[in-house]
Amino acid sequence: MNRTEALDMVRESITHVIPGADLAALGPDDAFREALEMDSLDFLSFVEVLSGRSGVRIEDEDTQQLSTLSRSADFLVDHTQ
């Protein structure tokens, strides 16, 4: 998976959990939990959706790496090669 594909997958996963999320206003290094007001259940759902779509197993200790669009994409790229 390349970075563009990873970013698209992260965005799609967020939109699946928070329909209508304004991703255009979200910068690549903005913490999306705060910017999109994701609660813990929303974030857990995002992680599950992202894992399912990407086929990457995401462990509890990995979730800190999923704080921004950029970091999430980097995580996916690193774990799909």
Side-chain angles (χ1 to χ4, degrees), residues 1-39:
M1 173 180 312
N2 66 41
R3 186 162 174 72
T4 300
E5 293 168 332
L7 282 167
D8 288 344
M9 189 172 294
V10 172
R11 288 183 185 108
E12 290 168 3
S13 298
I14 291 172
T15 303
H16 182 81
V17 174
I18 304 175
D22 185 10
L23 298 179
L26 186 63
D29 296 315
D30 293 341
F32 51 73
R33 284 188 71 176
E34 288 79 23
L36 300 175
E37 299 180 8
M38 295 174 86
D39 62 25

